[in-house]
């Protein structure tokens, strides 16, 4: 028994429905694959495939027993997954993952729209099926413990066993066509299933542009797939749970062209597996994608890279793949702790056995592709770690963090924005507090010392009162509010909670290093 290869953690795979019939298999292209069954016409219909190989059947039976024993959802054998596994097996090599475009082709061809977890093992001819099932069990059981799966498929071709696991997370209201004539359209309606909500539909057009077709706060989605451009349209359905956004379905709609009947390798693919080199390769590949799209390059940021590596290590150490961590929160929180000013924050997560496969998987997802090609992105950090799990080969976990630099922070302009908004709120409330230029100067000095870390926030109120008195402003007490970041306007909302003793106010701002601070100072008098 050879080691297993884990693949497909991030890839949202495509699918369709129909009842394929056996067809004469033409010779495959060099190094390519021709499936043994005809491609289906519509997503969502059942696929006829079988009977299963005895070793594949034994593995499926053992996995279903383990799911029951672990109290997991019942596993159903899915003949579409069997067919996908049979398509993948001829090119499988233990210790390596399948090419992402082959996985996409096989899923499209046989009707699987959900992301799948793929295992590969070489089967020795003289090993009894029951022994193969026992040897495969630890790997499949480990996945069943970590995740929720409700379908399984397996196939053996020329001594190579492939096992697939997936879970149905999207329900479509009606079957979706796999191909449409040019200038035609079709409805795409349905819902993401619990625990997911906030459904979104994205598409990558044949020219490479990414579009959002539907997005909102509901679990349901309702849109149309429009064929205004000839070629493959990559469609993706996403949902959000406590761990952040996730790809729940991904499929290819062919507009004005026939779906491919065979897969051929695109060419020589790199095999970068060392983390440091993988980071450099992922940076080079995403910069090349941006250049090809006519977009400016992105600048490498060591602070973002450190945050990305830490998140990749967190996922490895705590056995999860998600944007939200119970320990560090979401990517915005991680970027804030890294002290990187940002107007926009985006994050991609990928897993595969090589950097090239990680990049290919991300580019096949419309949402992840959109982050790589976002015109606003100016900086990037990439962190890659190795995840060595029992019974699996070496897997790379990669995190990409993109930010858009904020516009220049002008302290005088920020202070004026808050001062004007605060004055308007005070006047509207009929409050007697009035602007005091002397308190502007005090607030500015406080903001400067805070930004340069010469003043601790615990000592802020005492320092404010002392400096106000030294400036000749007689006060009985002070209220101090501090806003951090590029947009200081929320500070003005505190005008609604002013006590009757508030008489004067001033605003100051300062910037130093990575801090952008605005201070609102309110003086109290009897």
């Amino acid at each position: 028994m050879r080691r297993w290869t884990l693949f497909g953690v991030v890839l949202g795979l495509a699918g369709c429905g129909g009842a394929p019939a056996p067809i004469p298999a033409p010779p495959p292209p060099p190094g390519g694959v021709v499936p043994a069954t005809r491609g289906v016409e519509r997503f969502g219909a059942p696929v006829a495939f079988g009977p299963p190989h005895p070793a594949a059947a034994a593995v499926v039976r053992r996995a279903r027993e383990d799911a029951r024993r672990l109290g997991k959802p019942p596993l159903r054998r899915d003949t579409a997954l069997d067919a996908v596994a049979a398509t993948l097996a001829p090119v499988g090599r233990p210790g390596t993952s399948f090419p992402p475009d082959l996985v996409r082709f096989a899923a499209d061809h046989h009707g699987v729209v959900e992301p799948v977890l793929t295992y590969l093992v070489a089967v020795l001819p003289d090993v009894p099926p029951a022994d193969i099932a026992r040897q495969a069990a630890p790997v499949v059981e480990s996945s069943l413990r970590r995740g929720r799966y409700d379908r399984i498929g397996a196939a053996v071709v020329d001594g190579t066993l492939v096992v697939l696991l997936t879970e149905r997370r999207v329900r479509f209201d009606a079957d979706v066509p796999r191909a449409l004539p040019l200038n035609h359209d079709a409805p795409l309606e349905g819902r993401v299933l619990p625990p997911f909500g906030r459904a979104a539909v994205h598409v990558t057009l044949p020219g490479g542009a990414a579009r959002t077709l539907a997005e909102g706060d509901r679990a349901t989605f309702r849109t149309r797939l429009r064929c205004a451009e000839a070629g493959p349209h990559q469609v993706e359905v996403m949902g959000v749970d406590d761990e952040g956004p996730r790809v729940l379905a991904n499929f290819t709609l062919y507009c004005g062209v026939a779906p491919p009947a065979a897969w051929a390798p695109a060419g020589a693919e790199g095999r970068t597996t060392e983390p440091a080199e993988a980071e450099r390769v992922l940076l080079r590949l995403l910069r090349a994608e941006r250049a090809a799209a006519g977009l400016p390059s992105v600048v490498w940021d060591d602070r973002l890279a450190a945050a990305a590596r830490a998140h990749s290590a967190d996922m490895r150490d705590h056995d999860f793949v998600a944007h939200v961590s119970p320990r560090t929160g979401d990517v915005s929180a991680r970027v804030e702790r890294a002290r990187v000013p940002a107007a926009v924050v985006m994050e991609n997560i990928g897993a595969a056995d090589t950097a090239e496969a990680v990049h290919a998987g991300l580019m096949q997802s419309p949402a992840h592709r959109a982050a790589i090609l976002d015109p606003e992105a100016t900086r990037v950090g990439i962190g890659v770690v190795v995840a060595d799990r029992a019974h699996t080969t070496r897997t790379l976990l990669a995190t990409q963090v993109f930010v858009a630099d904020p516009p220049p922070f002008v302290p005088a302009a920020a202070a004026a924005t808050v001062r004007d908004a605060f004055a308007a709120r005070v006047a509207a409330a009929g409050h007697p507090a009035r602007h005091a230029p002397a308190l502007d100067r005090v607030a500015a000095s406080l903001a400067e010392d805070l930004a340069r870390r010469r003043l601790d926030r615990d000592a802020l109120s005492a320092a404010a009162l002392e400096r106000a008195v030294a400036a000749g402003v007689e006060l009985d007490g002070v209220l101090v509010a501090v806003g951090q970041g590029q947009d200081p306007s929320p500070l003005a909302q505190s005008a609604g909670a002013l006590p009757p003793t508030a008489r004067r106010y001033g605003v100051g701002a300062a910037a130093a290093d990575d801090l952008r601070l605005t201070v609102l100072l309110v003086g109290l008098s009897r």
Side-chain angles (χ1 to χ4, degrees), residues 243-245 303-304 307-308 311 322-325 328-340 342 344-349 381 399-403:
E243 294 184 334
R303 298 165 297 176
L304 293 177
H311 185 59
H323 293 284
V324 178
S325 163
T328 65
D330 63 12
V331 63
S332 295
R334 293 189 284 273
V335 168
E336 183 176 347
R337 280 192 296 273
R339 294 179 176 175
V340 180
V344 177
V345 178
M346 298 168 286
E347 180 178 73
N348 281 345
I349 296 171
T399 301
Q400 298 174 332
V401 180
F402 303 87
V403 303

Side-chain angles (χ1 to χ4, degrees), residues 49 52 56-57 59-60 77-78 81-82 85-86 152-156 161-164:
F49 186 87
V59 170
V60 170
R77 177 186 172 230
D78 190 320
L81 289 175
D82 289 345
I152 186 170
V156 175
L161 168 68
V162 175
V163 183
L164 307 179

Side-chain angles (χ1 to χ4, degrees), residues 430-469:
H431 199 282
R434 296 293 180 263
H435 173 232
L439 291 185
D440 284 347
R441 294 187 288 272
V442 173
S445 72
L446 295 170
E448 181 73 17
D449 286 347
L450 284 172
R452 297 190 179 281
R453 296 177 174 85
R454 297 191 295 245
L455 178 64
D456 190 273
R457 291 204 184 195
D458 292 339
L460 183 58
S461 294
L465 183 58
E466 179 182 340
R467 294 183 191 189
V469 172

